[in-house]
Amino acid sequence: MQTKFIFVTGGVMSGLGKGVVSSSICKLLQLSDQKVSCIKIDPYLNYDAGTMNPIAHGEVFVTDDGGECDMDIGNYERFLNQDIPKSHNITTAQIYSSVIESERKGEYLGACVQIIPHVTDAIKNRIKKIAADEELEILVVECGGTVGDIESLPFLEALRQIRVEEGSENVIFVHVTLAPSLDVVGEQKTKPTQHSVQELRRIGIQPDLLCVRCSMPLQDKTRNKISMFTNVTNNDVFSCHDVDSIFQVPEILYDQGLVDVIFKKFNKMGYVNASQNWDTWNKIVNSLHNEGDPINIAMVGKYVTLADSYVSVNHALKHAAASIGKKITIDWIDSENINGNVDTLSKYNGILVPGGFGTRGSEGIIKTANFAREQNIPYLGICFGFQLAAVSFARNVCSHTDANSTEIEQNTNNPIIDLLPEQDGITDMGGSLRLGANEINVKPDTIANKIYGQDKISKRHRHRYEFNTKYLEEFAQKGMIFSGESDEGRRMEILEIPSHKFFVGVQFHPEFNSRPGYPEHVFKAFTTAANQN
Ligand code: GLN
């Protein structure tokens, strides 16, 4: 089967939303009954996103198969409602490692190993293997970075070669650019787009389509000018103007005829433009825009200066609120600033503590969890928020005043949270956490069992520490029970306080499983409880 490829490049500057454009194009083709998937290329030298600071780069998205990926993979999963494997996030480090490994094994038979052809071949093989293994009809590949960057050059060269090898009827290049408006009359400027297309052409790539980011819809005269000076037909210049929600982008591209243009270029006749699929998707998108009084959530975490640090949690809360016909507002609160101010949390309908690492801000989280428990405010703790809720319970209810996680205080006499035994002796930071999907047993007659409605669930993980089962009995006697566990009872996965309005912590990351129209269960339960509070 011949897979068709759509390569998405970016010009002018970063942060234009290439990921949203790529996901939207892929979504439109999925709605047209094509078997599709997306790949994200990250030209940086990190092996994966696992060691990157979330405040600078946004969240690390964890896949079912344990990949620590760029957050665009999360966008793909949410748009397509489809699991994406970690092989779909390609980095320079992965490509170079595989080339160097082959060289060390002598697989190049004495050749001088070079960027072209060896590195470019490795890139092409990786992309084509995914297309073949997954029997995809259309594969969208988003190349991170901005055209002109040194580090993305080998990738762009590999994509250029794929067009030559596969034939131009099987490959479309989409370039995402910007038309800024500088003055009050809002004239849209075309020069940045002209220059970035020139830069692409300099390396042998003539884009077929342009998706132009702009605040207001692209004006005709801007479109004409862009078309004239970039060699892209008028019809193939698409306006990607600002909309309320990223999930509306497929529709604005569809309205401009994007699907027809793509199928025509691919010479694909008689495709299904399934109106049935459109209805379902539109219903989901519309449900994300509920009006009325919002549910107010305090999200108390360590990485609050960048909303993207918790992007999947933000989305999951929205999906959950949408499913009960409500809208949500989230205040991101720095846990370092909670000390002495914890009372300010009383105005919220619910308190959520997301994942985190390290000592900074941990005392604020422990106080937050204690406050939510004492004041009977719905609380959801995720990973670090689960662990520190247990620490706060040990300190304040079980009178172990020095209780802590050994991640924070190694010499505590009450290590409520301790290193996973298999982590002992591990010194590498990258890829060494407990990662990916694991099966969890949910005990009968618990809040968790009511929430999930089943005895076994599979959830994604990313942690190095876990609850110390030595304290299980004492906690149960004092009113906190562990209602989910894995590995034959060795690991605690869900905690709850049955007497509380809603006090639940999960060692796993439910946010990575939430999709528009299909909210993750614990988020839905938490949001529902917050709505009633
Ligand atoms: N730092 C904690 C651990 O490694 C929690 C991790 C997280 O919140 N993702 O176990």
Side-chain angles (χ1 to χ4, degrees):
M1 191 188 72
Q2 171 70 56
T3 301
K4 308 274 185 186
F5 296 93
I6 298 180
F7 298 142
V8 181
T9 58
V12 185
M13 62 184 203
S14 61
L16 285 185
K18 277 197 303 291
V20 172
V21 170
S22 306
S23 314
S24 298
I25 292 174
C26 209
K27 182 73 204 175
L28 285 172
L29 299 168
Q30 185 196 49
L31 288 167
S32 308
D33 280 355
Q34 299 294 303
K35 188 165 185 221
V36 293
S37 196
C38 275
I39 287 181
K40 172 75 192 291
I41 292 173
D42 281 307
Y44 47 62
L45 279 172
N46 301 65
Y47 194 85
D48 57 31
T51 54
M52 293 171 98
N53 182 346
I55 301 178
H57 304 277
E59 102 183 343
V60 176
F61 186 84
V62 181
T63 57
D64 243 31
D65 61 352
E68 295 179 284
C69 296
D70 180 83
M71 60 178 197
D72 274 321
I73 300 291
N75 264 331
Y76 303 161
E77 289 206 351
R78 283 185 285 272
F79 270 85
L80 301 176
N81 188 20
Q82 168 176 310
D83 288 349
I84 305 278
K86 63 180 172 191
S87 59
H88 288 225
N89 192 183
I90 306 177
T91 65
T92 295
Q94 291 167 18
I95 296 294
Y96 275 71
S97 305
S98 71
V99 170
I100 292 166
E101 203 180 305
S102 298
E103 187 276 333
R104 291 289 78 186
K105 285 187 187 149
E107 286 172 6
Y108 295 114
L109 305 176
C112 169
V113 182
Q114 298 187 291
I115 293 183
I116 298 171
H118 302 100
V119 166
T120 44
D121 280 353
I123 297 168
K124 290 189 291 181
N125 291 342
R126 175 92 178 254
I127 293 171
K128 289 185 186 180
K129 185 171 180 336
I130 290 173
D133 287 355
E134 298 177 26
E135 297 177 349
L136 297 170
E137 286 169 296
I138 302 181
L139 176 56
V140 176
V141 181
E142 174 192 348
C143 185
T146 307
V147 55
D149 293 347
I150 291 175
E151 58 183 14
S152 58
L153 270 176
F155 290 101
L156 294 171
E157 168 61 12
L159 301 182
R160 185 195 68 75
Q161 291 182 16
I162 292 181
R163 164 133 78 183
V164 178
E165 289 169 0
E166 300 291 309
S168 55
E169 71 285 10
N170 295 318
V171 175
I172 290 176
F173 273 92
V174 178
H175 191 52
V176 182
T177 70
L178 174 74
S181 320
L182 292 181
D183 50 27
V184 272
V185 283
E187 190 198 351
Q188 294 168 329
K189 297 302 205 180
T190 65
K191 200 67 95 193
T193 300
Q194 293 184 41
H195 281 168
S196 82
V197 172
Q198 271 168 25
E199 191 64 27
L200 255 189
R201 285 175 19 198
R202 205 175 58 76
I203 55 172
I205 297 171
Q206 165 65 47
D208 302 282
L209 308 183
L210 297 178
C211 285
V212 186
R213 284 300 315 274
C214 36
S215 43
M216 302 301 279
L218 204 61
Q219 295 154 2
D220 281 346
K221 68 171 191 194
T222 320
R223 179 180 271 115
N224 293 340
K225 201 165 165 188
I226 288 177
S227 164
M228 176 58 71
F229 295 111
T230 58
N231 249 346
V232 175
T233 325
N234 214 294
N235 280 343
D236 299 342
V237 179
F238 291 86
S239 171
C240 260
H241 41 275
D242 292 350
V243 275
D244 293 339
S245 135
I246 56 172
F247 297 107
Q248 292 168 329
V249 176
E251 192 176 1
I252 63 167
L253 292 175
Y254 178 79
D255 288 344
Q256 297 172 71
L258 185 88
V259 176
D260 291 331
V261 164
I262 289 178
F263 281 108
K264 210 161 137 206
K265 284 197 191 297
F266 279 154
N267 236 338
K268 256 189 176 235
M269 297 306 169
Y271 60 90
V272 194
N273 194 350
S275 55
Q276 178 74 33
N277 302 344
W278 261 113
D279 285 354
T280 320
W281 172 248
N282 280 339
K283 248 185 231 135
I284 291 172
V285 174
N286 293 338
S287 76
L288 295 171
H289 302 282
N290 290 311
E291 288 306 326
D293 288 341
I295 305 171
N296 295 310
I297 301 296
M299 195 172 348
V300 182
K302 296 187 53 157
Y303 316 119
V304 292
T305 45
L306 183 75
D308 273 351
S309 314
Y310 300 118
V311 63
S312 291
V313 180
N314 301 341
H315 278 291
L317 283 169
K318 283 187 200 151
H319 306 158
S323 73
I324 55 168
K326 301 293 280 189
K327 87 175 188 206
I328 203 127
T329 59
I330 307 168
D331 282 350
W332 294 280
I333 298 166
D334 192 334
S335 57
E336 259 190 316
N337 300 335
I338 282 291
N339 289 334
N341 293 322
V342 74
D343 291 352
T344 54
L345 296 176
S346 59
K347 64 174 188 266
Y348 293 98
N349 303 109
I351 298 172
L352 189 153
V353 175
F357 293 82
T359 307
R360 182 183 64 80
S362 57
E363 282 304 315
I365 292 176
I366 295 168
K367 286 204 173 72
T368 299
N370 194 49
F371 184 76
R373 185 184 54 76
E374 282 179 353
Q375 303 295 316
N376 211 10
I377 301 172
Y379 175 90
L380 176 61
I382 297 174
C383 206
F384 209 39
F386 158 97
Q387 297 176 351
L388 297 188
V391 169
S392 110
F393 192 81
R395 284 191 191 175
N396 298 291
V397 182
C398 307
S399 312
H400 300 305
T401 45
D402 70 333
N404 220 327
S405 161
T406 52
E407 178 179 7
I408 297 159
E409 174 52 65
Q410 260 190 350
N411 302 321
T412 173
N413 290 321
N414 285 289
I416 303 298
I417 304 295
D418 206 357
L419 204 60
L420 295 164
E422 66 269 31
Q423 290 280 332
D424 221 8
I426 287 185
T427 49
D428 277 4
M429 295 303 278
S432 61
L433 291 97
R434 178 177 180 235
L435 289 167
N438 291 92
E439 194 170 78
I440 294 161
N441 297 313
V442 187
K443 293 196 183 132
D445 305 318
T446 57
I447 297 169
N449 204 291
K450 258 191 224 105
I451 291 174
Y452 283 106
Q454 45 193 333
D455 297 339
K456 278 194 195 309
I457 55 175
S458 169
K459 295 286 165 187
R460 301 180 190 180
H461 295 76
R462 182 171 186 250
H463 64 121
R464 225 181 274 287
Y465 294 82
E466 66 182 354
F467 183 76
N468 183 344
T469 47
K470 207 176 91 188
Y471 292 92
L472 266 181
E473 202 139 309
E474 187 183 356
F475 270 50
Q477 274 164 14
K478 302 272 167 130
M480 179 180 277
I481 62 154
F482 288 80
S483 47
E485 38 90 343
S486 57
D487 290 342
E488 283 145 10
R490 224 170 50 68
R491 300 181 203 283
M492 295 305 115
E493 297 271 6
I494 309 176
L495 64 75
E496 57 187 70
I497 300 179
S499 61
H500 193 278
K501 246 186 221 161
F502 185 96
F503 196 99
V504 175
V506 289
Q507 178 59 81
F508 51 87
H509 287 272
E511 67 272 25
F512 299 135
N513 290 108
S514 184
R515 312 229 168 120
Y518 309 92
E520 205 282 339
H521 291 74
V522 79
F523 274 96
K524 186 167 177 185
F526 167 66
T527 311
T528 306
N531 186 39
Q532 287 159 358
N533 180 38

